[in-house]
Amino acid sequence: MQKSIKRYLPHLVAFVVVAIWGSTFVFTKLLLLGGLTAAQIFILRFIMAYVLLLGYCLLKGIRWLSNSWRDELLMAALGVTGGSLYFLTENSAMNYTTTTNTSIIVSLCPLFASAIIGLFYKAERLSRLQAFGTLMAAAGVVVVVMNGHFVLHLSPRGDLLAFAACLCWAFYSLLMIPANERYDTMFITRKVFFYGLVSMIPYFIVNPALNVHLLFAKPQMLWNLLFLGCVASMICFLAWNWVLKQLGAVVATNYVYLNPVTTIVFAWFVLGEPITLWFILGTLFILLGMFLADHTRSGIS
């Protein structure tokens, strides 16, 4: 019984994290409508998450630096790829292309992550069955997001920004492999938040306003930001980095395919948006594809 729990717990945690990240679209949209910019939302939620983690580490005894300057550079790269650059490219893409294009491109990051990780780690390369499974899951994402309206409006600048966000998360998954081999999850996550904020300093110098007064003028916005900072950032990043260590970067990243599914379910529950037959069909493709992608790696027969 304990072996079964230990085996399936990382998968459950991965699903819960992706489900929470899928819901953040609604909370972020409400903050954008309230007057905050995408960069301001990122900075405020990462400051909140970093301060909470720093406070906890100070109570437990903190380790400030990595074992070497190379490892410290690795932590900085994680902060950029999984933090500042990822969020800026993803949110900026929305200004130049459609939500549909952005959702499809960003949600396909497991494809790129599998390919990139396979170039550097032979043991992580996909078999033919796993490759077929991840392609099936990718097709399911397209079906879910398009929702029966199979028309793409190409916008080179916006689509390239979304593709850049996709690559950022793929490289974040790649860099987490050596990081997890040498450091614990708490240390890595704190460094990600720190360097994510540090790398935003040039942007903040040019655009210094944070519009914090809006949060106190509208308490609902403050609650939304608290959710994004405490739950979607601090708790979910800790949990996701742990999942990467337990499942491996390729298997864990495949759960990103479920992101648009959870977003639509949350929108149905909160906003009353309809769930269509296309959504159900695409979800089945995603689930079956994920099963096949994890088939030989998990040893399921």
Side-chain angles (χ1 to χ4, degrees), residues 17-46:
V17 169
V18 170
I20 291 174
W21 281 343
S23 72
T24 59
F25 171 78
V26 176
F27 294 98
T28 301
K29 185 174 182 179
L30 291 173
L31 289 173
L32 289 170
L33 292 174
L36 293 178
T37 67
Q40 289 167 353
I41 295 170
F42 164 75
I43 292 172
L44 289 172
R45 66 187 281 189
F46 261 49

Short mmCIF file of all heavy atoms in Angstrom, two decimals, residues 17-46:
data_model
loop_
_atom_site.label_atom_id
_atom_site.label_comp_id
_atom_site.label_asym_id
_atom_site.label_seq_id
_atom_site.Cartn_x
_atom_site.Cartn_y
_atom_site.Cartn_z
N VAL A 17 -0.91 20.62 -9.26
CA VAL A 17 -0.16 21.83 -9.60
C VAL A 17 -0.61 22.39 -10.95
O VAL A 17 -0.87 23.59 -11.08
CB VAL A 17 1.36 21.55 -9.61
CG1 VAL A 17 2.11 22.73 -10.22
CG2 VAL A 17 1.86 21.29 -8.20
N VAL A 18 -0.71 21.52 -11.94
CA VAL A 18 -1.13 21.96 -13.27
C VAL A 18 -2.56 22.49 -13.23
O VAL A 18 -2.90 23.46 -13.91
CB VAL A 18 -0.99 20.81 -14.29
CG1 VAL A 18 -1.65 21.18 -15.61
CG2 VAL A 18 0.48 20.49 -14.53
N ALA A 19 -3.42 21.85 -12.42
CA ALA A 19 -4.80 22.32 -12.28
C ALA A 19 -4.83 23.73 -11.69
O ALA A 19 -5.59 24.59 -12.15
CB ALA A 19 -5.58 21.36 -11.40
N ILE A 20 -3.99 23.98 -10.69
CA ILE A 20 -3.93 25.32 -10.09
C ILE A 20 -3.38 26.32 -11.09
O ILE A 20 -3.91 27.43 -11.23
CB ILE A 20 -3.07 25.29 -8.81
CG1 ILE A 20 -3.77 24.48 -7.72
CG2 ILE A 20 -2.78 26.71 -8.31
CD1 ILE A 20 -2.95 24.25 -6.48
N TRP A 21 -2.32 25.94 -11.80
CA TRP A 21 -1.76 26.84 -12.81
C TRP A 21 -2.77 27.12 -13.92
O TRP A 21 -2.79 28.22 -14.49
CB TRP A 21 -0.47 26.25 -13.39
CG TRP A 21 0.71 26.46 -12.48
CD1 TRP A 21 0.80 27.34 -11.45
CD2 TRP A 21 1.97 25.79 -12.55
NE1 TRP A 21 2.03 27.25 -10.86
CE2 TRP A 21 2.78 26.31 -11.52
CE3 TRP A 21 2.49 24.79 -13.37
CZ2 TRP A 21 4.08 25.87 -11.29
CZ3 TRP A 21 3.79 24.35 -13.14
CH2 TRP A 21 4.58 24.89 -12.12
N GLY A 22 -3.61 26.15 -14.22
CA GLY A 22 -4.64 26.37 -15.23
C GLY A 22 -5.66 27.40 -14.79
O GLY A 22 -6.23 28.13 -15.61
N SER A 23 -5.90 27.50 -13.48
CA SER A 23 -6.87 28.46 -12.95
C SER A 23 -6.31 29.87 -12.88
O SER A 23 -7.07 30.85 -12.77
CB SER A 23 -7.33 28.03 -11.56
OG SER A 23 -6.30 28.23 -10.60
N THR A 24 -4.98 30.01 -12.93
CA THR A 24 -4.38 31.33 -12.76
C THR A 24 -4.73 32.29 -13.89
O THR A 24 -4.63 33.51 -13.71
CB THR A 24 -2.84 31.24 -12.65
OG1 THR A 24 -2.32 30.63 -13.84
CG2 THR A 24 -2.44 30.41 -11.44
N PHE A 25 -5.13 31.74 -15.05
CA PHE A 25 -5.49 32.62 -16.17
C PHE A 25 -6.62 33.56 -15.76
O PHE A 25 -6.60 34.76 -16.05
CB PHE A 25 -5.92 31.78 -17.37
CG PHE A 25 -6.53 32.58 -18.49
CD1 PHE A 25 -5.73 33.31 -19.35
CD2 PHE A 25 -7.90 32.63 -18.66
CE1 PHE A 25 -6.29 34.06 -20.37
CE2 PHE A 25 -8.47 33.37 -19.68
CZ PHE A 25 -7.65 34.09 -20.54
N VAL A 26 -7.61 33.03 -15.03
CA VAL A 26 -8.76 33.84 -14.62
C VAL A 26 -8.32 34.91 -13.62
O VAL A 26 -8.69 36.09 -13.73
CB VAL A 26 -9.86 32.96 -14.00
CG1 VAL A 26 -11.01 33.81 -13.47
CG2 VAL A 26 -10.38 31.96 -15.03
N PHE A 27 -7.51 34.53 -12.63
CA PHE A 27 -7.06 35.48 -11.62
C PHE A 27 -6.17 36.57 -12.24
O PHE A 27 -6.28 37.74 -11.89
CB PHE A 27 -6.30 34.76 -10.51
CG PHE A 27 -7.16 33.83 -9.70
CD1 PHE A 27 -7.18 32.47 -9.97
CD2 PHE A 27 -7.96 34.32 -8.68
CE1 PHE A 27 -7.98 31.61 -9.23
CE2 PHE A 27 -8.77 33.46 -7.94
CZ PHE A 27 -8.78 32.11 -8.21
N THR A 28 -5.29 36.15 -13.16
CA THR A 28 -4.42 37.12 -13.82
C THR A 28 -5.23 38.08 -14.68
O THR A 28 -4.97 39.29 -14.70
CB THR A 28 -3.39 36.39 -14.70
OG1 THR A 28 -2.61 35.51 -13.89
CG2 THR A 28 -2.45 37.38 -15.38
N LYS A 29 -6.23 37.56 -15.37
CA LYS A 29 -7.07 38.40 -16.22
C LYS A 29 -7.80 39.45 -15.38
O LYS A 29 -7.92 40.62 -15.78
CB LYS A 29 -8.08 37.53 -16.99
CG LYS A 29 -8.90 38.32 -17.99
CD LYS A 29 -9.78 37.40 -18.82
CE LYS A 29 -10.58 38.18 -19.86
NZ LYS A 29 -11.42 37.29 -20.69
N LEU A 30 -8.29 39.05 -14.20
CA LEU A 30 -8.98 40.00 -13.33
C LEU A 30 -8.04 41.11 -12.85
O LEU A 30 -8.44 42.27 -12.74
CB LEU A 30 -9.57 39.26 -12.12
CG LEU A 30 -10.74 38.31 -12.44
CD1 LEU A 30 -11.12 37.51 -11.20
CD2 LEU A 30 -11.94 39.10 -12.95
N LEU A 31 -6.79 40.75 -12.58
CA LEU A 31 -5.81 41.76 -12.16
C LEU A 31 -5.46 42.69 -13.31
O LEU A 31 -5.28 43.90 -13.11
CB LEU A 31 -4.54 41.08 -11.63
CG LEU A 31 -4.68 40.36 -10.28
CD1 LEU A 31 -3.40 39.59 -9.96
CD2 LEU A 31 -4.97 41.36 -9.17
N LEU A 32 -5.37 42.14 -14.52
CA LEU A 32 -5.09 42.98 -15.70
C LEU A 32 -6.24 43.96 -15.93
O LEU A 32 -6.02 45.14 -16.22
CB LEU A 32 -4.89 42.10 -16.93
CG LEU A 32 -3.59 41.27 -16.97
CD1 LEU A 32 -3.64 40.27 -18.11
CD2 LEU A 32 -2.37 42.17 -17.11
N LEU A 33 -7.45 43.47 -15.79
CA LEU A 33 -8.62 44.34 -15.95
C LEU A 33 -8.69 45.39 -14.85
O LEU A 33 -9.26 46.47 -15.04
CB LEU A 33 -9.90 43.49 -15.95
CG LEU A 33 -10.11 42.57 -17.16
CD1 LEU A 33 -11.34 41.69 -16.96
CD2 LEU A 33 -10.24 43.38 -18.45
N GLY A 34 -8.09 45.08 -13.70
CA GLY A 34 -8.09 46.01 -12.57
C GLY A 34 -7.05 47.11 -12.69
O GLY A 34 -7.04 48.03 -11.87
N GLY A 35 -6.15 47.02 -13.67
CA GLY A 35 -5.20 48.09 -13.90
C GLY A 35 -3.75 47.73 -13.77
O GLY A 35 -2.86 48.55 -14.05
N LEU A 36 -3.43 46.50 -13.34
CA LEU A 36 -2.03 46.08 -13.24
C LEU A 36 -1.54 45.56 -14.59
O LEU A 36 -2.32 45.03 -15.38
CB LEU A 36 -1.88 44.97 -12.19
CG LEU A 36 -2.14 45.35 -10.72
CD1 LEU A 36 -1.99 44.13 -9.84
CD2 LEU A 36 -1.21 46.46 -10.26
N THR A 37 -0.25 45.72 -14.84
CA THR A 37 0.33 45.17 -16.05
C THR A 37 0.85 43.76 -15.78
O THR A 37 0.98 43.35 -14.62
CB THR A 37 1.50 46.04 -16.55
OG1 THR A 37 2.58 45.96 -15.60
CG2 THR A 37 1.08 47.49 -16.72
N ALA A 38 1.17 43.04 -16.85
CA ALA A 38 1.68 41.67 -16.69
C ALA A 38 2.98 41.66 -15.90
O ALA A 38 3.20 40.79 -15.04
CB ALA A 38 1.88 41.04 -18.07
N ALA A 39 3.88 42.62 -16.18
CA ALA A 39 5.16 42.68 -15.46
C ALA A 39 4.94 43.00 -13.99
O ALA A 39 5.62 42.44 -13.11
CB ALA A 39 6.06 43.74 -16.10
N GLN A 40 4.01 43.89 -13.69
CA GLN A 40 3.73 44.23 -12.30
C GLN A 40 3.19 43.03 -11.53
O GLN A 40 3.55 42.79 -10.37
CB GLN A 40 2.74 45.39 -12.24
CG GLN A 40 3.32 46.72 -12.69
CD GLN A 40 2.27 47.78 -12.92
OE1 GLN A 40 1.08 47.52 -12.88
NE2 GLN A 40 2.73 49.01 -13.17
N ILE A 41 2.32 42.27 -12.18
CA ILE A 41 1.76 41.07 -11.54
C ILE A 41 2.87 40.08 -11.25
O ILE A 41 2.95 39.51 -10.15
CB ILE A 41 0.69 40.44 -12.44
CG1 ILE A 41 -0.51 41.37 -12.57
CG2 ILE A 41 0.24 39.08 -11.87
CD1 ILE A 41 -1.51 40.93 -13.62
N PHE A 42 3.77 39.88 -12.22
CA PHE A 42 4.88 38.95 -12.02
C PHE A 42 5.76 39.38 -10.86
O PHE A 42 6.11 38.58 -9.98
CB PHE A 42 5.72 38.85 -13.30
CG PHE A 42 7.07 38.22 -13.08
CD1 PHE A 42 7.19 36.86 -12.88
CD2 PHE A 42 8.21 39.00 -13.02
CE1 PHE A 42 8.43 36.28 -12.65
CE2 PHE A 42 9.46 38.43 -12.79
CZ PHE A 42 9.56 37.06 -12.60
N ILE A 43 6.17 40.66 -10.84
CA ILE A 43 7.06 41.16 -9.80
C ILE A 43 6.42 41.03 -8.42
O ILE A 43 7.05 40.55 -7.47
CB ILE A 43 7.45 42.63 -10.08
CG1 ILE A 43 8.33 42.71 -11.34
CG2 ILE A 43 8.17 43.24 -8.88
CD1 ILE A 43 8.62 44.12 -11.80
N LEU A 44 5.16 41.43 -8.29
CA LEU A 44 4.49 41.40 -6.99
C LEU A 44 4.31 39.97 -6.48
O LEU A 44 4.53 39.70 -5.29
CB LEU A 44 3.13 42.11 -7.10
CG LEU A 44 3.19 43.63 -7.26
CD1 LEU A 44 1.80 44.20 -7.55
CD2 LEU A 44 3.79 44.29 -6.02
N ARG A 45 3.93 39.05 -7.36
CA ARG A 45 3.72 37.67 -6.90
C ARG A 45 5.04 36.99 -6.56
O ARG A 45 5.11 36.21 -5.61
CB ARG A 45 2.93 36.86 -7.93
CG ARG A 45 3.62 36.61 -9.25
CD ARG A 45 2.72 35.95 -10.27
NE ARG A 45 2.60 34.51 -10.04
CZ ARG A 45 2.01 33.68 -10.90
NH1 ARG A 45 1.46 34.15 -12.02
NH2 ARG A 45 1.93 32.39 -10.63
N PHE A 46 6.12 37.31 -7.28
CA PHE A 46 7.43 36.72 -6.97
C PHE A 46 8.03 37.33 -5.71
O PHE A 46 8.70 36.64 -4.94
CB PHE A 46 8.38 36.87 -8.16
CG PHE A 46 8.46 35.62 -9.01
CD1 PHE A 46 7.31 34.98 -9.43
CD2 PHE A 46 9.68 35.08 -9.38
CE1 PHE A 46 7.37 33.83 -10.20
CE2 PHE A 46 9.77 33.92 -10.14
CZ PHE A 46 8.60 33.29 -10.55
#
